[in-house]
Amino acid sequence: MTSSRRSFLKNSAIAATAAAFMPNDIFASPARIQRVGIQLYSVRDAMKTDPAGTLKKLADMGYKHVEHANYIDRKFYGWTAKEFKKRLDDLGLQMPSGHTVMTPAHWDAATNDFTDVWKHTVEDAAYMGQKFVISPWLDDKVRHDTDLLKRTMDQFNKSGELCQKFDMKFGYHNHDFEFTTMVGDMRLFDYIMQNTDPNKVSQQLDIGNMYGRENDAISIINKYPGRFVSMHVKDEIKSADKTEGTGYESTILGRGVLPVKEVLKAAKKTGGTVYLIIEQESYQGLDPIDCVKIDLQTMKKWGY
């Protein structure tokens, strides 16, 4: 994971914390269908400067599904849910999932309920037609405070219950720290898996983020069969920055060191994975738009 992605998520979590204190089923027949989408963070700069034009380029490439990484003050990339849905509809795009960091501040202990900020997050996701509301981060303080971590897992399960009311599921997305942070004698990743109800909380496995910490995504899939309805599909190469993250960075699919095709087969056979989300965060000097076009072409060559 790049430092920019870390900064983005940390800043999103900070913004979410501050905000918390302010006054057609596409997965039918999941055993037979796997759908390919793109995480819009892959083209984050283009989405800042020309979101409408960027979405059109993605649609013209052949993408049908997108996953957002920008929901601030009830707006997606500056658009209200109604406005953004129309943009997507006009381009023939659907948004089955999105990333919004949930923090402990989204739970109001005084009322024993979620804050309006998180309720609006879920409501707007439902309006967009999402099936998953995914939180992609845990703050340092949550990771290292056992009591707070336990309450956060309870909050995850409660968020799952809230999402179920809208025919959605709550989800969590891993990075690399889940495989190095220990909760007693257990990895944080395993703690999350064992303390979230699979009927309420889905896991989105990022096979790139974990590389270098847990090299074998297939072993994780086999250890927790059926738990990974969604997956971030990445390939990785050694990073020039040896001090950041795992020492690896993402690259165009098929050009790195990950056994991506084998992981995808395991995901379908054992993981229960029905939504494959392309995400590329580093580009080795190439245009991100060109990269994600090649990524989609590669997935098609592989039969997806």
Side-chain angles (χ1 to χ4, degrees):
M1 183 178 64
T2 63
S3 57
S4 60
R5 176 64 161 163
R6 292 176 185 274
S7 299
F8 173 82
L9 288 168
K10 288 178 180 177
N11 291 336
S12 296
I14 292 171
T17 300
F21 289 101
M22 294 175 62
N24 101 79
D25 192 348
I26 66 164
F27 294 140
S29 303
R32 296 190 298 275
I33 298 175
Q34 285 189 309
R35 301 177 186 273
V36 176
I38 182 171
Q39 165 54 251
L40 293 176
Y41 189 78
S42 303
V43 288
R44 53 195 174 277
D45 291 338
M47 284 298 294
K48 288 180 182 178
T49 57
D50 182 18
T54 302
L55 290 171
K56 186 177 187 307
K57 288 179 181 178
L58 295 174
D60 289 344
M61 289 177 197
Y63 281 102
K64 300 297 182 184
H65 303 99
V66 300
E67 179 180 80
H68 80 77
N70 186 289
Y71 175 81
I72 302 170
D73 296 331
R74 299 201 73 175
K75 291 185 177 180
F76 300 91
Y77 301 95
W79 289 305
T80 64
K82 183 177 181 180
E83 293 167 340
F84 193 45
K85 189 173 189 306
K86 186 177 188 309
R87 290 276 180 178
L88 296 183
D89 287 346
D90 289 347
L91 293 169
L93 294 171
Q94 293 179 307
M95 190 167 74
S97 61
H99 281 195
T100 306
V101 176
M102 185 175 71
T103 73
H106 286 112
W107 181 261
D108 186 343
T111 62
N112 197 35
D113 198 1
F114 286 102
T115 64
D116 287 344
V117 171
W118 190 253
K119 290 178 181 178
H120 291 156
T121 299
V122 173
E123 290 168 4
D124 289 344
Y127 180 86
M128 292 300 302
Q130 289 181 211
K131 289 299 178 185
F132 300 101
V133 178
I134 299 172
S135 182
W137 193 251
L138 280 179
D139 287 344
D140 286 336
K141 62 181 180 180
V142 177
R143 305 175 208 170
H144 297 103
D145 183 330
T146 305
D147 290 337
L148 182 56
L149 178 60
K150 184 179 185 304
R151 292 198 299 273
T152 300
M153 295 301 100
D154 291 340
Q155 187 174 326
F156 277 15
N157 289 322
K158 288 184 174 70
S159 183
E161 293 172 2
L162 176 62
C163 288
Q164 283 179 339
K165 296 178 180 178
F166 295 89
D167 195 27
M168 297 188 297
K169 291 190 76 170
F170 178 70
Y172 180 73
H173 170 95
N174 70 277
H175 286 85
D176 62 305
F177 62 80
E178 293 89 350
F179 299 94
T180 57
T181 303
M182 301 299 293
V183 184
D185 60 355
M186 182 185 301
R187 294 182 306 181
L188 176 59
F189 183 85
D190 295 302
Y191 184 91
I192 293 170
M193 296 298 291
Q194 294 178 28
N195 286 274
T196 51
D197 184 342
N199 293 318
K200 300 174 183 177
V201 181
S202 295
Q203 302 295 331
Q204 183 180 68
L205 188 66
D206 189 307
I207 67 173
N209 285 347
M210 67 190 298
Y211 192 76
R213 303 300 190 197
E214 169 60 64
N215 292 337
D216 188 4
I218 295 175
S219 69
I220 293 295
I221 292 170
N222 290 334
K223 184 176 182 178
Y224 298 104
R227 295 289 297 274
F228 305 105
V229 180
S230 179
M231 175 176 287
H232 269 201
V233 181
K234 290 179 178 175
D235 209 340
E236 299 282 313
I237 59 171
K238 285 189 175 181
S239 173
D241 184 357
K242 305 298 183 182
T243 64
E244 174 61 29
T246 64
Y248 290 86
E249 65 182 33
S250 56
T251 191
I252 290 172
L253 292 175
R255 299 186 183 181
V257 298
L258 266 66
V260 182
K261 289 191 286 186
E262 288 75 13
V263 174
L264 292 175
K265 290 177 183 176
K268 183 173 184 178
K269 179 180 178 182
T270 308
T273 309
V274 296
Y275 189 39
L276 306 172
I277 303 163
I278 294 169
E279 183 180 40
Q280 188 174 339
E281 302 172 272
S282 301
Y283 318 98
Q284 295 80 52
L286 301 176
D287 188 326
I289 292 290
D290 293 335
C291 289
V292 298
K293 183 176 182 178
I294 298 171
D295 288 331
L296 181 60
Q297 291 172 344
T298 300
M299 289 291 283
K300 289 182 177 180
K301 289 179 183 177
W302 290 347
Y304 296 94

